[in-house]
Amino acid sequence: YDLIMWSSEKKPNESELEVMKLIKKSIVLARDVKKWTIVSESDIAIKRPSWGLEPKYYFDLLWKVVKNDFKKDYQIKLNDFE
């Protein structure tokens, strides 16, 4: 057996990474939001696929002020807030 195959470090291969993006979820806007809106629970949703911010940041975004106007289903980024 080749010693390279017996690595102690587990990493997903490329096909697994693609599937992970489709299975994971990200934070999006649940409705259109205007500039200077204070974000509440009704403004945020968690949806698939995971191209954006991970759900672990959900509570960090609550009660933050939005810098710009955004449309429903926009994938939120941390720098979109004051």
Side-chain angles (χ1 to χ4, degrees):
Y1 287 29
D2 195 340
L3 291 177
I4 294 173
M5 293 181 66
W6 294 99
S7 172
S8 62
E9 188 175 342
K10 170 70 174 135
K11 292 183 182 178
N13 62 36
E14 286 213 20
S15 64
E16 290 173 323
L17 289 173
E18 288 302 314
V19 170
M20 286 170 59
K21 286 180 185 177
L22 297 173
I23 292 173
K24 286 186 174 183
K25 297 179 180 183
S26 59
I27 301 173
V28 299
L29 290 175
R31 59 185 177 165
D32 292 352
V33 176
K34 297 280 186 196
K35 185 176 183 178
W36 307 119
T37 299
I38 298 173
V39 175
S40 67
E41 293 95 342
S42 62
D43 298 318
I44 297 176
I46 298 174
K47 294 185 177 181
R48 286 186 177 142
S50 179
W51 305 113
L53 200 58
E54 296 176 32
K56 69 180 182 181
Y57 294 104
Y58 179 87
F59 292 105
D60 295 335
L61 301 178
L62 291 178
W63 317 119
K64 299 265 184 182
V65 177
V66 177
K67 289 183 183 179
N68 295 304
D69 294 346
F70 296 109
K71 296 286 186 186
K72 179 181 178 180
D73 292 327
Y74 172 76
Q75 292 187 338
I76 298 171
K77 298 173 196 70
L78 287 175
N79 61 357
D80 291 331
F81 299 90
E82 290 291 322

